[in-house]
Each structure stands twice: as structure tokens, then as C-alpha cells.
Amino acid sequence: GYDLSLLGIGANSLSLILEHLGMSGAAALATAWKLPFVLADLLVGAILIDIGRQLHAKRPGLIPTLWLISPVPLWVSAGHGQMESLTILAIVLSLDMLLRHRPLLAGIVVGLGVGIEYLPALVALVAIFWLYVSVIERREFYRFATGCVAALAFCFGPSLSTYLGRISLLGGLAFTATVTSHSAVSKSAAPIGSSLWSVLDVSPGEFWLVAALSLSVALVIVLAHKARKTDRIIDRQRLGILAAGGLLLCVTLLDPGVLPQFSVLVLGGLCIVAFSVDLNPAVIILGPLLQLASG
């Protein structure tokens, strides 16, 4: 998306400034590109504290502490220089905005997040879930959708406005869909990936998508049924947060092409789930670390 292009322009501009101040060219470029990702990790920790307070967690500082002391974000952001931390930032920030009843800002954050990676779109499913169980009102959902559409227009409007941009964007989407569903690609990706399939030494082929979708739909149905039976808004909010974390884990653990750097997405999913389910801190720290090491 256009926001990712602006991030690249800003990083290259910062690298020129750092190089002018005396830093070597390679070091300046690496610092300029990785700095936003490291800052995103720190912001995720701060936002997790606020989400814990919104949900009246018993120890609102525990989950963000586990996020910050985990070596996984350090390796992914500062070491490898991957942008998955921006994905987690978009997810937790939009959830926090929805909890604070600021749906327009939440929609804008989701749209900008989709401009970088697709996974923040999961928050739209959470917004529909909360609308169904009466956590947010219909007008709040409309504001969320408006913010999301406006941000998506900003991200992809420049590409869609030209013929070359349209065929490039649509061709890239079609290629991604083909790769993720092709059995030969799935078989070759499974042994070197970090998914559950590689841990179990199973090649699911194109059926991984069926498994992921089935598990995701079952999760949402069970949580929605449970939410409709409770009268407490705070419990419905927790179930929506649980749905967000569960859906994120379904995608990142069942995709046979998952790479080691995606382990930060698993860490983020576990941290989100931990607001509703009492997870052992060792699971939150060691689970994503083992997934990273297995790849």
C-alpha cells in the first residue's frame, strides 16, 4: 500500500541524515529501516497495558512485560528487520480503540495496517462479532467501516488509479492466492517452515486452508454462542479479544508457508489470548521462541 511506500521513503531519508552525521552507509540504512519496527514493539507493550486495564485484568502489566522481555521481537525487528511488529501494532491499537469506543480511529488503523500486511483485517471480524453480541452499536460499526474504507482508499488508491498499478496489484493478489493454495508449494514449504504442519512432519497440501477456515469458524461460533449467554459487557469484550487472538493463531500456526520471523505474530496472538485465558507465562515466552528456532 501507499503507506508502506511512505515508510520506505522516510527510512531512506533518515538513512541519508544518519550518514551525513557520520554513520556508515550500511549501518545508517539498517538503523533507519529497523528503528520504526523497534519503536512499534515498544508501543505494542504500552497498548497492551491499556487493553489490560480496559478489560480489568488482575495483572495488567504482566502480559506487556512478557512481550517486552521475549527475545522474539528483538530478533525479528532489531535483528532480522521484518515488519511483522507493525502488523501486531495495527491489531492491538485498533482493538484498543474499539474498546475505548473510538471506532473511526480503529477503522483507520485497520486500513493502514492492511496497507502493510493483510492480517489486521481480522479486527474487522472482531468488530462484526461485537456488533452481533451488542458490545458496539450499529452506528459505531458504520464509523469503523468508514474509517477502514477511507484508509484503504488512501493506501491503494494511487495504485488503482493507473493501469499499470491495477494490473500489478491485482496480479500480485492473484499470485499470492495461487501460491498459498497450491499443493506443490505447500509441500515444499512445510519442511522449512515454522507451522504446526512442519512440527508434525505433515504436508497438508491445499487442505491447510480448509483446516484453518474450519477451525476459525468453529472458534467464532463457540465464542459468539457463549457471549450471547452472558449479560456482562466486560465478558463479551473479553470474548471478542479472545476471538482476535485465536484467529491470529489459527492463521499463523496452520499456514504451511509460515516463516521463522512470523513467530512474533504467534507471540502477539498468545498475548492477546492471555487477557481471557490464564496462560502460563512460560508458554508465552517459550512457544514462539521454539517456533522461531524450529525454522
Side-chain angles (χ1 to χ4, degrees):
Y2 190 58
D3 54 342
L4 185 57
S5 301
L6 292 178
L7 177 64
I9 294 173
N12 283 290
S13 302
L14 179 58
S15 69
L16 293 176
I17 295 174
L18 295 176
E19 191 173 354
H20 180 73
L21 294 176
M23 189 177 290
S24 67
L29 187 60
T31 301
W33 268 103
K34 294 177 181 180
L35 185 60
F37 307 148
V38 175
L39 292 176
D41 289 332
L42 298 176
L43 286 174
V44 168
I47 295 169
L48 288 175
I49 292 177
D50 192 61
I51 292 178
R53 291 173 177 170
Q54 293 289 326
L55 297 176
H56 301 161
K58 294 181 180 179
R59 293 178 291 178
L62 175 61
I63 296 173
T65 300
L66 295 173
W67 165 268
L68 292 172
I69 68 173
S70 171
V72 171
L74 181 65
W75 185 86
V76 172
S77 298
H80 206 267
Q82 292 291 129
M83 62 182 63
E84 274 67 30
S85 57
L86 296 180
T87 302
I88 295 296
L89 175 62
I91 292 174
V92 298
L93 180 57
S94 56
L95 290 174
D96 189 44
M97 290 295 101
L98 284 174
L99 287 173
R100 287 183 166 274
H101 296 283
R102 296 177 180 176
L104 182 62
L105 290 176
I108 292 174
V109 172
V110 169
L112 294 177
V114 172
I116 296 175
E117 284 189 346
Y118 306 124
L119 286 176
L122 294 175
V123 180
L125 299 178
V126 177
I128 296 173
F129 176 89
W130 273 338
L131 176 65
Y132 174 73
V133 298
S134 303
V135 171
I136 61 175
E137 298 178 357
R138 190 177 298 273
R139 66 172 180 270
E140 290 181 294
F141 180 79
Y142 290 155
R143 291 174 184 173
F144 172 84
T146 300
C148 189
V149 169
L152 288 174
F154 169 78
C155 292
F156 298 105
S159 297
L160 294 174
S161 63
T162 64
Y163 173 74
L164 181 60
R166 285 194 296 272
I167 61 175
S168 299
L169 180 61
L170 297 178
L173 292 173
F175 176 77
T176 301
T178 302
V179 167
T180 55
S181 61
H182 197 276
S183 59
V185 175
S186 299
K187 288 180 180 179
S188 63
I192 61 173
S194 293
S195 67
L196 287 178
W197 307 113
S198 62
V199 174
L200 299 174
D201 195 22
V202 175
S203 296
E206 63 269 21
F207 295 107
W208 78 266
L209 188 58
V210 176
L213 289 175
S214 300
L215 186 58
S216 300
V217 171
L219 174 67
V220 172
I221 291 176
V222 170
L223 294 179
H225 179 71
K226 188 173 182 180
R228 297 287 286 186
K229 294 177 65 175
T230 181
D231 296 328
R232 298 182 61 193
I233 294 295
I234 188 67
D235 290 335
R236 296 177 182 176
Q237 289 176 334
R238 290 193 182 114
L239 290 171
I241 295 294
L242 178 59
L247 291 172
L248 183 58
L249 291 176
C250 286
V251 173
T252 53
L253 289 177
L254 294 177
D255 183 354
V258 166
L259 299 174
Q261 56 264 32
F262 295 169
S263 55
V264 73
L265 301 175
V266 176
L267 174 64
L270 289 174
C271 288
I272 295 172
V273 168
F275 284 117
S276 303
V277 179
D278 189 16
L279 296 179
N280 191 309
V283 173
I284 299 177
I285 293 294
L286 295 178
L289 184 59
L290 292 174
Q291 185 201 12
L292 189 154
S294 70

